[in-house]
Amino acid sequence: MLIYLPIAEMAVPAELILLLGTVVGLMSGIFGVGGGFLTTPFLIFMGVPPTIAVGTQGIQLVAASVSGVLAHWKRGNVDTKLGLVMLGGSVLGTIIGILVFKLLEYLGQIDVVISILYVFLLGSMGIMMMVESIYALVKKKASKKEEDEISRFQAFIQKWPYKMRFPRSRLYISALLPAGIGFIGGFLVSIMGIGGGFLLVPAMIYLLGMPTLLVAGTSLFQIIFSAAFAAMLHAVANNTLDIVLALLLVCGGVIGAQIGVRLARYIKGAPARVLLAFLLLMVCFRLGLELFIKPEDLFTTVLTG
């Protein structure tokens, strides 16, 4: 069934958008990531303008993250204090990201910049995740050298100022570190329409030293607010939020997130990360290919007024 998107000014199959939202919600519940790194590219593959895909994705991120957080909250797997500190950084990152988005849109380069950023980010993350996951499968225990490197880095982190206690995560670290991680997440959600969970989750584990059980819920907790803020700014400043598209993605995302949370306990870490890395690399390859394929129409005339 085709449904018309008023802001994107095109018709899309409603069932396909619902399916996409469900898959993204499923990944949100399993991995603790917002899933925008898949939603935005697939919307672009379907012909949705990149600016609309990025601007609308924030609403879907909010719904999927709320659904996932509620499930994690019931299990006590959310550190709200640490999440609020991350949120402080993400608000600043979101504002700066919106300003950069607006500038690139004014220069007429936003579409190609979004595609290039996705190719670079998905490619690098996919390769690193694939290498790390395969290494984890082959060699279960970290070497003495690796343990020493981690210890030295954590000792360096302990020297940072503005320390805070986070009782839920049993951490006593500088607030600058989680705020900085949040800043990156806020910038990514405004520029690329992604919650940045696939960056935030590893950073929270390896940089902050958070218990793995708390990472997914805390990551989703701060994504709720940063994504909502970004969506609001996109709607007001850029007029790139298509509410019809957002509602379809939300319906699928909420269902998928609940299923994903329940499946998370049955999915082993390393094999699941290998599959996720493979998916990232496939999407990266497709986006990269489109950058070099000659479009059917070299010029498009847009009437405004």
Side-chain angles (χ1 to χ4, degrees), residues 258-285:
Q258 292 298 318
I259 298 173
V261 169
R262 287 166 174 75
L263 290 178
R265 69 185 70 176
Y266 303 109
I267 297 178
K268 295 182 179 179
R273 291 197 300 273
V274 169
L275 292 176
L276 181 59
F278 180 76
L279 185 57
L280 290 177
L281 292 174
M282 290 300 98
V283 174
C284 168
F285 176 77

Side-chain angles (χ1 to χ4, degrees), residues 109 137 152 242:
Q109 301 298 320
L137 287 171
R152 281 197 296 269
D242 193 306

Side-chain angles (χ1 to χ4, degrees), residues 139-153:
K139 191 176 183 180
K140 299 295 184 181
K141 189 175 181 180
S143 65
K144 184 68 168 63
K145 182 180 179 181
E146 291 169 332
E147 291 175 350
D148 290 341
E149 289 177 352
I150 294 173
S151 298
R152 281 197 296 269
F153 181 78

Side-chain angles (χ1 to χ4, degrees), residues 173-226:
I173 57 175
S174 170
L176 296 176
L177 192 55
I181 294 173
F183 177 89
I184 295 173
F187 186 81
L188 290 176
V189 75
S190 56
I191 288 287
M192 303 174 67
I194 58 179
F198 61 96
L199 281 177
L200 301 186
V201 168
M204 292 165 73
I205 293 174
Y206 298 114
L207 299 185
L208 300 184
M210 281 188 69
T212 305
L213 199 61
L214 299 177
V215 169
T218 306
S219 170
L220 292 174
F221 174 77
Q222 74 87 26
I223 286 174
I224 292 173
F225 303 100
S226 60

Side-chain angles (χ1 to χ4, degrees), residues 41 44-45 115 118-119 122 283-291:
I44 294 173
F45 296 157
S115 295
Y118 265 102
V119 170
L122 296 184
V283 174
C284 168
F285 176 77
R286 172 67 188 275
L287 277 173
L289 196 62
E290 289 197 350
L291 286 174

